[in-house]
Amino acid sequence: MADSTPPDDTPSAPAPDVTLPVDDPTYREGVIELLGVIAYGELSAFERLAEDATLAPTLRDKAELAQMANVELGHFLGLRDRLQALGVDPYAAMEPFEDTFIRFHAKTAPADWLEGLVKAFVGDGLAADFYREIAAYLDVDTRALVLESLAGTGDSQFVVARVRGAIEADPKVAGRLALWGRRLMGEALSQAQLVAAEHDGLTAVLVGGSGRGAGMDLAAIGRMFARMTENHAARMAELGLDS
Amino acid sequence: MADSTPPDDTPSAPAPDVTLPVDDPTYREGVIELLGVIAYGELSAFERLAEDATLAPTLRDKAELAQMANVELGHFLGLRDRLQALGVDPYAAMEPFEDTFIRFHAKTAPADWLEGLVKAFVGDGLAADFYREIAAYLDVDTRALVLESLAGTGDSQFVVARVRGAIEADPKVAGRLALWGRRLMGEALSQAQLVAAEHDGLTAVLVGGSGRGAGMDLAAIGRMFARMTENHAARMAELGLDS
């Protein structure tokens, strides 16, 4: 069904409104893994943004980053409560993804304030793309929750002004930050592939292996990654950077 | 008036409900300094709690600290908006206190997770005491805002369980943390004295030098510090620590 339906080509179009049973054990396992990885990602984003706030050159920038961090924590709390409502220990659901995020952040530690801003913007955008893409394959309740995790990501628009300002002040910065953006995207994709390989239930939700027939086939996943790469390029351009 | 009125001896009793004119220039200057130092303190508390979250031994602890950090940021945003409503650049009002907080945190950098927890708990409690004490000398609106900044500090109760648990697991910890608590209190008091010395307008609000007669005299300030020291000792005891 996936390769004949619009969602994987027009992810932002309303998804087919089938309510999928969270008590279908395979699907349930996949949803728990999905909520676990997103919850970890949001808590991790809070931590990184708060850390970047300490590098902020002005109090105003510090407050901006702190507010972005708070938005991510709000998303985390919603996901944590949903996992609890599903009768799952949210921290147990998140734990399996700890190594992934530790690896990712170890390989993408910002050298300065600007690299931190670009990482926040790029990471925020990639997460939002992924949420929109996967939402189409989720039951109504889970989809609503995942889409809520997009709220407020627009805050990172202030990043655009800061990065463009820095490039105007010193054009050499653009080359270094463009390279940084490519590295972030490369690491994100390779970590995503590791996660998919290590977590069958999660992958099943995406590829429809949970037997619901509502998932993507592998060609559709390929197209999804192509779309995410295009969106990444558009975001880099928004920052005034090549991708 | 102050030494004949209850507030400075029973700070938690309802304060005399006089509305003080924020357009009295001396009082206004003092209130702006007060909101500025509290706003900086709250933003700084957010930063420190978020930093401590990175030291958390479990994801659950990390999430608890992150939520405490968010509560502090919420307080900061309320204070920032109030300064804006007063027609003041909030960041300009905060800037003069930057050195104070940098000094304080440089002298009280936690060596580990437990020291971070004790610092959060002690700092949270001292701030709450100070807000309650000073509230009695503020106009109704400013008082309400300052008292709002007390909201949610009860979250730090989870700190009690963690610290007591750590002492049960290894009683030697208690001696080191008790020493740490004394150091935190000593640094807080000496920084507070520097702030009072450097910021006349702020001190005027406290001692009534702004000519409103609603402030504390120096003896009352002495009693205030005595009460805050007693409350600190009670909090340390709550953690199972000598003070």
Side-chain angles (χ1 to χ4, degrees):
Chain A
M1 166 179 164
D3 36 354
S4 66
T5 45
D8 49 61
D9 290 309
T10 57
S12 38
D17 212 331
V18 285
T19 303
L20 302 166
V22 178
D23 51 11
D24 162 342
T26 322
Y27 177 68
R28 178 186 160 85
E29 183 208 344
V31 163
I32 288 167
E33 288 196 338
L34 177 69
L35 296 179
V37 69
I38 295 179
Y40 202 108
E42 295 288 346
L43 184 56
S44 174
F46 165 87
E47 240 181 323
R48 290 300 158 281
L49 287 165
E51 211 171 287
D52 294 341
T54 63
L55 301 171
T58 71
L59 282 174
R60 191 180 300 271
D61 289 333
K62 193 187 286 294
E64 286 280 0
L65 263 283
Q67 285 179 87
M68 285 172 65
N70 266 19
V71 170
E72 308 287 10
L73 192 69
H75 298 161
F76 160 74
L77 295 175
L79 294 153
R80 182 200 62 181
D81 297 347
R82 169 72 167 165
L83 281 161
Q84 254 150 1
L86 288 171
V88 178
D89 172 353
Y91 303 103
M94 292 163 66
E95 217 90 58
F97 303 100
E98 188 153 40
D99 294 348
T100 303
F101 285 96
I102 288 173
R103 268 196 309 259
F104 177 71
H105 290 302
K107 287 169 184 252
T108 60
D112 61 17
W113 160 248
L114 282 174
E115 288 191 2
L117 284 186
V118 171
K119 182 177 173 178
F121 187 76
V122 164
D124 212 21
L126 282 177
D129 284 347
F130 175 68
Y131 298 165
R132 269 192 218 92
E133 292 278 354
I134 195 166
Y137 304 100
L138 300 172
D139 62 277
V140 175
D141 295 350
T142 309
R143 178 191 308 156
L145 179 65
V146 166
L147 291 178
E148 272 167 30
S149 299
L150 293 168
T153 49
D155 300 7
S156 58
Q157 283 309 311
F158 109 100
V159 172
V160 174
R162 291 291 179 286
V163 172
R164 286 184 165 275
I167 294 169
E168 271 165 39
D170 175 12
K172 288 192 313 301
V173 165
R176 172 170 67 90
L177 292 182
L179 208 63
W180 173 242
R182 278 195 288 282
R183 183 155 135 228
L184 290 169
M185 185 60 172
E187 282 302 333
L189 288 178
S190 62
Q191 294 305 326
Q193 279 156 6
L194 280 169
V195 167
E198 291 164 359
H199 301 278
D200 298 343
L202 178 56
T203 316
V205 171
L206 271 169
V207 301
S210 60
R212 296 174 295 91
M216 292 189 230
D217 62 14
L218 290 168
I221 289 185
R223 290 195 294 275
M224 174 179 100
F225 277 118
R227 280 191 299 272
M228 290 179 72
T229 309
E230 283 162 26
N231 294 344
H232 170 69
R235 278 187 294 270
M236 293 294 282
E238 201 178 346
L239 293 174
L241 300 171
D242 302 332
S243 53
Chain B
M1 164 179 165
D3 37 353
S4 67
T5 44
D8 51 59
D9 290 310
T10 56
S12 38
D17 211 331
V18 287
T19 303
L20 302 166
V22 179
D23 52 8
D24 161 341
T26 323
Y27 176 68
R28 179 187 160 85
E29 183 208 343
V31 163
I32 289 166
E33 288 196 337
L34 177 68
L35 296 180
V37 69
I38 296 180
Y40 202 109
E42 294 288 345
L43 185 55
S44 172
F46 165 87
E47 240 181 320
R48 291 298 159 280
L49 287 166
E51 209 171 288
D52 294 343
T54 63
L55 300 171
T58 70
L59 281 174
R60 191 181 302 272
D61 289 331
K62 193 187 287 294
E64 286 280 1
L65 263 284
Q67 286 179 85
M68 285 172 65
N70 265 21
V71 170
E72 308 287 10
L73 191 70
H75 298 160
F76 160 74
L77 295 174
L79 295 152
R80 182 200 62 181
D81 296 347
R82 169 72 168 168
L83 281 161
Q84 253 151 1
L86 289 170
V88 178
D89 171 354
Y91 302 104
M94 291 163 68
E95 217 90 56
F97 303 99
E98 187 153 40
D99 296 348
T100 303
F101 284 97
I102 288 172
R103 269 196 310 259
F104 176 71
H105 290 301
K107 286 170 184 249
T108 59
D112 60 17
W113 160 248
L114 282 174
E115 289 191 3
L117 284 185
V118 171
K119 182 176 173 179
F121 187 76
V122 164
D124 212 21
L126 282 175
D129 284 348
F130 176 68
Y131 298 165
R132 271 194 216 90
E133 293 277 354
I134 196 167
Y137 304 101
L138 299 173
D139 62 276
V140 175
D141 295 348
T142 310
R143 178 191 308 155
L145 180 65
V146 165
L147 290 178
E148 271 166 33
S149 300
L150 294 167
T153 50
D155 301 6
S156 59
Q157 284 310 311
F158 108 100
V159 172
V160 174
R162 290 291 179 284
V163 172
R164 286 186 165 272
I167 293 169
E168 270 166 41
D170 174 12
K172 291 192 312 300
V173 165
R176 171 169 69 90
L177 292 181
L179 209 63
W180 174 243
R182 280 196 287 280
R183 183 154 137 228
L184 290 169
M185 184 61 173
E187 282 302 332
L189 288 177
S190 61
Q191 294 305 327
Q193 281 158 5
L194 279 169
V195 167
E198 292 165 359
H199 302 277
D200 298 344
L202 178 56
T203 317
V205 171
L206 270 169
V207 301
S210 60
R212 295 173 295 93
M216 294 188 228
D217 62 14
L218 290 167
I221 289 184
R223 288 195 296 276
M224 174 179 98
F225 277 119
R227 279 191 300 273
M228 289 179 71
T229 309
E230 283 163 27
N231 294 344
H232 170 69
R235 278 187 294 270
M236 291 294 282
E238 201 179 345
L239 292 174
L241 299 171
D242 302 331
S243 54

